């Protein structure tokens, strides 16, 4: 049954699934509408290995919070603290580290040329996006109002963020460090991996849960927007 389910649904219903998807490089964020079976086939992975990893998770104790069952304001507070605030802390430091690496190691064929500029662009786009959510959309969602227009705009921008992550991987050679990389370079790529995981989880929670109008009484009004894929 797991093979026929969309990655986005699995990522929000099986605690720890996102770590498995990161391990096998399966896009549960902007590629969340494709089924697990399709994603495995596309990447040429061992189907049984992926399934076993997911099945092992379902037998673990102390599962993560089931955000499908939590009230919208609680999820919004979680997103603000764990993603909005964190992205605002992550990006300035990553830009600083990237500038340093590009300046010092510019002659190396492994140097991530253009990474600092790309991170700056991501920072500008994310800040604009998060402000729109904080000032317009989140207050409406907290009141049970699901406005199609603002949600559609946010979903489109999520797709753009996904594209930005792909470019980040290209510029940084998927964070593969060269032999003998300095501490700054190592810290940069470690931070990029964390940013990627955080941003993908951020987008996942909004696309698959927050922006989709609940069917339970008292949780929302009459408009479901779906996800960006």
């Amino acid at each position: 049954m797991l093979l026929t389910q969309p990655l986005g649904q699995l990522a929000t219903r099986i605690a720890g699934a996102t770590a498995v998807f990161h391990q096998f490089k399966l896009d549960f964020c902007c590629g969340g509408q494709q089924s697990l079976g399709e994603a495995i086939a596309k990447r040429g992975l061992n189907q049984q290995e992926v399934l076993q990893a997911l099945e092992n998770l379902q037998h673990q104790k102390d599962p993560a919070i089931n955000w499908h069952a939590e009230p919208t304001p609680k999820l919004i507070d979680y997103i603000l603290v764990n993603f909005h605030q964190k992205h605002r802390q992550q990006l300035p430091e990553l830009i600083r580290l990237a500038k340093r690496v590009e300046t010092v190691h510019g002659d190396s064929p492994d140097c991530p040329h253009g990474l600092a500029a790309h991170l700056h662009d991501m920072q500008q786009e994310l800040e604009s996006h998060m402000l729109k959510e904080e000032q317009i959309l989140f207050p409406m969602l907290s009141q049970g109002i699901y406005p199609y227009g603002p949600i559609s705009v946010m979903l489109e921008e999520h797709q753009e963020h996904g594209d930005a992550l792909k470019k980040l991987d290209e510029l940084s050679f998927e964070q593969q460090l060269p032999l003998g990389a300095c501490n700054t370079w190592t810290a940069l790529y470690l931070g990029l991996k964390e940013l990627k995981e955080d941003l993908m989880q951020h987008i996942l929670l909004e696309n698959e849960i927050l922006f989709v109008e609940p069917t339970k009484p008292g949780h929302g009004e009459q408009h479901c927007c779906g996800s960006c894929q």
Side-chain angles (χ1 to χ4, degrees):
M1 291 296 292
L2 292 178
L3 290 172
T4 62
Q5 296 183 50
L7 292 179
Q9 287 186 16
L10 293 172
T12 59
R13 295 183 184 279
I14 300 178
T18 56
V20 172
F21 294 156
H22 278 298
Q23 176 188 347
F24 290 102
K25 292 182 167 49
L26 297 174
D27 181 9
F28 61 85
C29 175
C30 293
Q33 287 286 23
Q34 62 183 330
S35 71
L36 176 62
E38 291 171 339
I40 289 174
K42 189 176 296 184
R43 287 198 56 81
L45 300 172
N46 183 307
Q47 188 179 96
Q48 191 55 42
E49 281 187 32
V50 180
L51 289 175
Q52 188 62 56
L54 291 173
E55 288 169 2
N56 289 343
L57 291 174
Q58 297 182 79
H59 297 296
Q60 292 180 357
K61 296 180 179 180
D62 301 322
I65 295 174
N66 176 13
W67 288 111
H68 290 278
E70 297 294 338
T72 296
K74 182 176 179 179
L75 177 54
I76 288 175
D77 287 343
Y78 178 83
I79 289 172
L80 290 173
V81 172
N82 291 278
F83 300 115
H84 284 212
Q85 289 183 20
K86 191 172 182 182
H87 295 331
R88 288 177 172 127
Q89 295 170 349
Q90 290 170 314
L91 282 159
E93 178 62 9
L94 290 173
I95 292 169
R96 185 189 71 80
L97 292 172
K99 287 180 177 177
R100 180 66 176 167
V101 169
E102 290 184 61
T103 299
V104 175
H105 302 286
D107 293 337
S108 169
D110 298 307
C111 181
H113 291 291
L115 179 60
H118 180 60
L119 287 169
H120 182 267
D121 290 342
M122 286 186 67
Q123 181 187 37
Q124 298 297 108
E125 293 299 324
L126 268 174
E127 182 61 28
S128 173
H129 177 86
M130 293 188 296
L131 282 175
K132 283 181 280 190
E133 289 184 330
E134 293 163 4
Q135 296 174 1
I136 300 171
L137 185 55
F138 285 1
M140 299 180 77
L141 295 175
S142 291
Q143 299 175 51
I145 301 169
Y146 288 75
Y148 179 81
I151 288 176
S152 296
V153 171
M154 295 299 98
L155 293 171
E156 290 177 6
E157 292 184 2
H158 283 175
Q159 183 64 52
E160 294 170 0
H161 298 331
D163 292 340
L165 287 177
K166 291 177 183 177
K167 183 175 179 180
L168 183 150
D169 270 347
E170 293 173 3
L171 292 171
S172 63
F173 306 99
E174 295 189 345
Q175 298 85 57
Q176 295 298 314
L177 284 166
L179 188 65
C182 68
N183 289 339
T184 300
W185 207 332
T186 302
L188 170 63
Y189 279 11
L190 184 64
L192 291 180
K193 290 178 181 178
E194 182 184 47
L195 174 66
K196 283 172 52 184
E197 292 180 8
D198 287 342
L199 186 53
M200 290 177 73
Q201 183 69 17
H202 179 183
I203 292 172
L204 174 75
L205 287 174
E206 293 185 349
N207 282 4
E208 299 292 336
I209 303 176
L210 183 60
F211 293 170
V212 179
E213 184 176 8
T215 56
K216 292 182 180 180
H219 281 255
E221 298 300 322
Q222 297 292 323
H223 205 98
C224 176
C225 185
S227 80
C228 68
Q229 292 81 17

